[in-house]
Amino acid sequence: MSLDSIRLEGVTTHNLKSVDVSLPKGKLIVAAGVSGSGKSSLVIDTLFEHSKTLYLGALSSKSLDMGDGDYQFDRIAGTQPPVALRQRDGASSNPRSTVGTLTGLDGLYRLLFGAGSRPVCPACLGPTGADLFCDACGCFAEPHSAKHFSPNRKEGKCLRCDGIGELVGFSLGKIIPDRSKTLTEIWDGADPGTFAVPNVRKAFEAMAADIGLDLDVPFEKLSPEQTERVLHGSDTVYTLKIRKVTNDFRFEGILGFLERAYRNASSAARKNAFTNYLGREICPACHGGRLRPESLRATVAGHTFPDFQGDELSRSIARLREGLASGDVPAQVRELATAIVRQSANIEDVGLGHLQLRRPVTTLSGGELQRLLLAQHLASDLTGVMYVLDEPTAGLHEADTGRILDSLRRLRDLGNTVIVIEHDESVIRAADWVVELGPGAGSRGGEIIFEGRFADLLKCGDSPTAAAMASHGPARTRTDLSGAPWLEVRGITRNNVLDQTARFPLGALTCVSGVSGAGKSSLVAGIHASVSRAITQRSTGAAESAGIEGAEFLDDVIHVEQRPIGRSSRSTLVTYIGISDHLRDAFTASEEAVKRGLGRGEFSPNVAGGRCESCKGLGLAEIEMTLFKSEFIVCPECEGRRFQEHVLDVRLNGRNIHDVLSMTVEDALAWFDAQSSPKVVQALSVLSEFGLGYLQLGCSTTTLSGGEAQRLNLASELLKQRRSRTLFIFDEPTRGLHTADIRHLLALFERLISTGNTIVVIEHNVKVIALADWVIDLGPGAGREGGRVVHSGTPGELAADPASVTGRFVRRLRDEPAAAVPLPAPEEGSPASAAPDLGVIGELLPRAVTVVAGTTRQSERKGPTPYGLVIGSLTVVSDELALIGFLVRSGSTSWNAIADTGRFCVNILGEDQRTVSEAFSQGRPDSRFDALTWTPSANGCPRLSDALGTIDCDLKSSYRIGDHEFVLATVAGVDMETGTGRRPLLRAEQGDSTLDDYGWRRFAREAEAR
């Protein structure tokens, strides 16, 4: 076996069919395939879990003996220390955990302020001198340390809120939400165990009679003095007889009683009785900053600690960079500030520059959390590691994918093996090695369809991925909007969305698009809240709130979020869709079960009696580890079958309960009888229709991907027989879906729309956006730069909108024919595959000014750096062989960096891009792309977003000609912008006098030297 590869042999984990595969080390590897084909089973459940077992076991063979994991194989060799960055990691983290604490930036900022800020006067909060003495007050300030900027330390925390930033107290708005109700109604409607207890009510009624307060008067009609008595009571003591016991009572008021009772509550259950009346408000002392006043006033480079905590990371980076450049950052912390900038830049590079350090981790999506962990590893400089990532582009806009690819390459270029499970075409194209599993899902998958380079994948006739790339994508018939009712929600304000209006047609498909962090989820949450409120008000007869029109056409609203379903590992597919009782009843009614006296409970893995008591019916045994989180192995007692032997001996049509729970949905459909089990067959049919036929009936819902969970959630909703007039809201329903599987999703949408329902989806998939009936696009940027509706209209109108980033990608999808993708290999017996057609560029190349771009390996600054150089002209050497040629100077730094990669992208500049040509001719080689917007081309090299055309090339050879090299390259693909009227930037327009014989721009200093 080669030491340069990781070899897996005979892998039969889950649906894998004795898979053999080799993965080259030190490469960016993408595992592709349709949903459920076995990608996670191979990469995560087998390779990663086994590698983790090996390396943890090596730490201590006694204390960390892991036993056998839930994977099966014949041999795995050549593995490396593994690190998995999964979307579910950290999902159950501490609710107090923030972006700052997770990344460690909070600690670095505390050190920065502890050593770099000057203390202010503790009395007047004014400036102090070099000796920390305040001339105005005559007080000395205490020297700062990192503790003074921690809300968890006595030296730094705000004493008013104890470092929480909020005050928790009883809210009058929650106690009396409807001030039109009478005092009697308020007491009748009070939560049990609160101020409605008999002695409090009797004391109140006695006080009311004493002061002449009418109990049938609405609360809003009370005078200020009466309101004071109701809320805070009086000092009068009344002798009352309650339940045959006579005592003296004083009414202390609603608020007085709640505060005393809550403070003196001796149990959590007693405190929970008051939860509905508790509210939160920003601490008036620290205004949410959590620190004492002296710490809040301290500054570094003119900015306070809360400034850096509350601002977006991209703004914080800019502030520190400005401070370093101007010298405002003290010398003793300049190195620390530089480290903060570097680490924050890693987070910005993965598309998370809009996050705030104080943002709770629990509010991050799975994709955001995974990218945050990725940014941490980019700063760690680990080498020789095997990184495993599960869909790192999940939740990313097309415009942000290039940053993720750059980060993945940086990990690879550090000397690591990077294995990515991914559906995104850009990531697959950029891979050094592709492994595709399939051809189908579940029992129809589990085989290696292809392993090799991307260029060869496109020639694989058996590849669903290649077929999807070569096709025009999914299709649907758009809804006729003429005469359709419309819903309009005005004044949506949430997070970065400020006073926006969302308007879209009912009975149709609407996509909410925009770059990551633009405010899509906030806008949709506002729509959901407004529609829910309007429907509730209509059902109760209350006056409908202003700011919404068209809600009368809706009877319900369902928000299907992109979150794991089932908080417990005991939640399974059959329990979630409600057919577990039907399965148990079927077994309970069997002749053998009746003979043994077994009831429904014995066939439940959650009830003692029939389940395996060693693993409590989970099928897995937990191994507690001192240093690490607990691990699980297959239960040695029941061997993963969950039940005791006397239960497993009961068979129904030859299958026991474990056999049935191990069936896939498709197998179960064929096994169950529609006459005897109609509800089971109906539920399984819906799952199969949703493309979930490969899932096992007994699989835990906590193991499902986001896309699977969302489809299962939708299936559960449809099984409730909700007919029409419902607004369904989906959060990125295509996440986790292969391009070939999107047709299942669109079919479900059509089914819902055809029965009178409305669908709104938050979506990044350009192919789905282009098929929508209506698009609401937010932006133009992320965070504070976003939050505005930049476009609302049809996909065609969006494509024509120059202000929309999403529109640019929809336009590109519309203008690029499927033939722009290199075609698969011809069928057997046909001529060799044709070379790309160079006719579209052949006429303009000899005079066009072009940019040749490639990506280098690791640089000293921040990883792989895009390099590029301007060439005056290219030559089509051979149409038949798809060869082009051009001249470069020998020893060119830029060309040497490009040549090392062996592949590059030629960007043909448009007539409106003269400044780009000049910037490339005169800028430093490693900074020529800094001011430009670029995305990865098909071969993963930098493609200028506004280029007239691009040519993806593989370096073939070069020949020395004097001081120059003549380069020959084979063309892998051509992508030209046609039909727009734009023309290429030609040499003649630049002025021939500025170019030498080889098309190079002469520098002024060279002309002077001559």
Side-chain angles (χ1 to χ4, degrees), residues 721-795:
Q721 299 299 317
R722 186 175 284 100
R723 293 298 182 186
S724 63
R725 291 173 57 94
T726 296
L727 171 61
F728 284 93
I729 300 175
F730 297 96
D731 183 4
E732 295 183 57
T734 62
R735 180 184 294 186
L737 284 185
H738 188 275
T739 305
D741 292 319
I742 293 178
R743 66 182 188 277
H744 292 299
L745 187 71
L746 293 176
L748 300 178
F749 288 169
E750 291 306 308
R751 172 175 170 178
L752 289 173
I753 291 173
S754 65
T755 55
N757 298 296
T758 303
I759 299 176
V760 172
V761 298
I762 298 173
E763 193 53 76
H764 287 300
N765 190 300
V766 179
K767 293 182 178 179
V768 174
I769 295 173
L771 294 173
D773 300 308
W774 197 258
V775 182
I776 301 174
D777 191 51
L778 278 87
R784 297 189 182 189
E785 301 301 321
R788 300 189 296 277
V789 175
V790 297
H791 181 88
S792 182
T794 66

Side-chain angles (χ1 to χ4, degrees), residues 555-571:
D555 293 334
D556 201 0
V557 55
I558 303 295
H559 193 182
V560 187
E561 297 183 80
Q562 181 67 271
R563 291 183 178 178
I565 56 178
R567 297 181 179 180
S568 169
S569 57
R570 295 188 179 277
S571 173

Side-chain angles (χ1 to χ4, degrees), residues 396-416:
L396 268 187
H397 191 274
E398 286 279 350
D400 300 318
T401 304
R403 291 182 174 183
I404 285 292
L405 283 172
D406 191 40
S407 299
L408 296 177
R409 293 191 187 102
R410 287 173 60 187
L411 278 183
R412 175 201 63 191
D413 295 341
L414 284 170
N416 302 301

Side-chain angles (χ1 to χ4, degrees), residues 513-551:
S513 61
V515 299
S516 306
K520 301 182 294 297
S521 297
S522 298
L523 183 83
V524 165
I527 294 173
H528 178 248
S530 296
V531 175
S532 297
R533 184 165 53 249
I535 292 174
T536 301
Q537 290 171 339
R538 189 170 71 240
S539 64
T540 58
E544 293 191 12
S545 59
I548 183 170
E549 294 180 9

Side-chain angles (χ1 to χ4, degrees), residues 72-122:
Q72 298 174 344
F73 59 88
D74 293 337
R75 179 171 178 260
I76 295 180
T79 187
Q80 296 173 292
V83 174
L85 305 180
R86 288 174 285 193
Q87 294 187 28
R88 291 190 297 272
D89 288 347
S92 58
S93 58
N94 189 325
R96 292 174 64 93
S97 177
T98 63
V99 171
T101 58
L102 180 66
T103 59
L105 284 172
D106 264 4
L108 293 180
Y109 271 109
R110 289 178 190 136
L111 290 172
L112 179 74
F113 273 80
S117 63
R118 180 181 297 280
V120 298
C121 173

Side-chain angles (χ1 to χ4, degrees), residues 50-88:
H50 175 67
S51 302
K52 181 178 68 173
T53 298
L54 289 179
Y55 283 91
L56 290 181
L59 298 179
S60 171
S61 59
K62 295 182 179 179
S63 62
L64 300 181
D65 183 11
M66 307 287 286
D68 294 326
D70 187 21
Y71 47 78
Q72 298 174 344
F73 59 88
D74 293 337
R75 179 171 178 260
I76 295 180
T79 187
Q80 296 173 292
V83 174
L85 305 180
R86 288 174 285 193
Q87 294 187 28
R88 291 190 297 272

